[in-house]
């Protein structure tokens, strides 16, 4: 599977999305991020890894045990690289941070390459310093007193459904989720689209370009 990851890291998320849409008959809604989730660290480059998921109750008045070690153990034992996927649940998700500097440092140490969440993160400079990809609703200085409710369960980030072990791929355009089926086919189609795009750009910048010639070629 590492070879698949290395091939995916050479592709744009948009090309992968186009390839997945083609395979799914144009209906891959719910498999890619929406405009409500932002890439907060585009300098980290391509995000690509296997999802380790959890749900965190951040705003309930009733707090449970913080079982962060169980999450770390799951990250450590999972195939690398890992994308930590956190669905925040609770009363006020706009005032919530579920991932910060300490979690970033520990997660990076045990195999994570990034985090994806539907709510906020904090200690953003420390996340940047670790070089982690970071897709979130925004930044929030919440104290982060949260309760992990479940680990390695299906979650939903915005309207994007992610299961444990799914491959998450992201770049400046957002992220997309790939299941365990037809990934090699998706990669092949995306590679073809990448070559077509390169050919188009080369033609666009050439003396031969005209609308009539574009119509003839494409």
């Amino acid at each position: 599977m590492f070879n698949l990851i290395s091939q995916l890291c050479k592709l744009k998320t948009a090309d992968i999305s186009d390839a997945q849409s083609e395979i799914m008959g144009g209906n891959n809604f719910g498999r890619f991020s929406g405009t409500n989730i932002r890439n907060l660290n585009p300098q980290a480059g391509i995000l690509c890894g296997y999802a380790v998921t959890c749900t965190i109750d951040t705003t309930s008045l009733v707090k449970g045990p913080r079982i962060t070690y169980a999450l770390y153990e799951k990250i450590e034992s999972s195939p690398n690289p890992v994308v930590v996927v956190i669905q925040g649940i609770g009363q006020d998700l706009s005032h919530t941070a579920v991932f910060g500097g300490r979690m970033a440092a520990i997660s990076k140490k045990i195999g994570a390459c990034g985090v994806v969440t539907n709510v906020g993160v904090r200690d953003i400079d420390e996340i940047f310093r670790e070089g982690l990809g970071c897709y979130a609703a925004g930044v929030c200085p919440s104290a982060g007193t949260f309760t992990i409710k479940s680990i390695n369960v299906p979650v939903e980030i915005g309207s994007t459904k992610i299961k444990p072990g799914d491959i998450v791929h992201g770049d400046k355009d957002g992220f997309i989720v790939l299941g365990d089926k037809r990934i090699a086919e998706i990669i092949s189609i995306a590679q073809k689209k990448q070559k077509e795009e390169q050919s188009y750009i080369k033609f666009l910048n050439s003396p031969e370009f005209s609308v009539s010639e574009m119509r003839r070629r494409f």
Side-chain angles (χ1 to χ4, degrees):
M1 290 294 283
F2 178 77
N3 186 46
L4 293 179
I5 295 292
S6 63
Q7 291 181 67
L8 285 165
C9 284
K10 298 174 183 177
L11 296 168
K12 296 195 304 182
T13 303
D15 287 339
I16 296 171
S17 180
D18 288 348
Q20 185 186 62
S21 177
E22 183 174 315
I23 284 177
M24 297 179 68
N27 185 26
N28 67 333
F29 293 105
R31 303 301 292 169
F32 54 85
S33 60
T35 56
N36 56 330
I37 305 297
R38 300 165 50 208
N39 181 351
L40 299 181
N41 189 17
Q43 298 305 314
I46 296 289
L47 171 77
C48 191
Y50 302 98
V52 169
T53 65
C54 71
T55 61
I56 293 181
D57 184 349
T58 60
T59 55
S60 173
L61 296 178
V62 180
K63 297 296 180 182
R66 291 176 61 112
I67 52 172
T68 316
Y69 284 110
L71 175 60
Y72 293 150
E73 288 165 355
K74 181 58 68 175
I75 296 170
E76 188 176 47
S77 65
S78 294
N80 287 345
V82 165
V83 176
V84 184
V85 182
I86 304 172
Q87 180 181 351
I89 56 177
Q91 297 172 352
D92 185 1
L93 298 183
S94 65
H95 290 79
T96 287
V98 294
F99 194 86
R102 183 179 297 182
M103 288 185 73
I106 295 170
S107 297
K108 176 68 178 293
K109 185 76 173 180
I110 57 179
C113 63
V115 59
V116 170
T117 180
N118 63 319
V119 289
V121 298
R122 71 174 203 173
D123 305 325
I124 194 69
D125 284 342
E126 295 172 49
I127 294 174
F128 290 174
R129 188 159 55 245
E130 295 296 336
L132 292 175
C134 182
Y135 295 75
V139 179
C140 175
S142 166
T145 53
F146 56 76
T147 300
I148 296 180
K149 304 293 286 186
S150 56
I151 296 174
N152 251 25
V153 296
V155 297
E156 191 166 323
I157 306 300
S159 59
T160 310
K161 296 177 174 58
I162 305 176
K163 301 191 304 297
D166 281 348
I167 293 177
V168 179
H169 183 285
D171 62 16
K172 293 179 181 179
D173 287 334
F175 70 86
I176 191 165
V177 181
L178 305 172
D180 57 359
K181 298 178 181 179
R182 306 181 74 174
I183 296 179
E185 187 178 357
I186 288 173
I187 290 173
S188 178
I189 295 172
Q191 289 171 336
K192 181 181 178 182
K193 290 182 180 296
Q194 185 181 66
K195 290 179 181 178
E196 289 173 349
E197 182 69 12
Q198 291 169 349
S199 176
Y200 176 82
I201 295 300
K202 183 178 180 180
F203 164 65
L204 181 65
N205 293 320
S206 73
E208 290 79 23
F209 176 80
S210 69
V211 174
S212 60
E213 180 65 12
M214 180 173 62
R215 178 190 290 274
R216 187 187 72 80
R217 293 191 185 193
F218 299 100

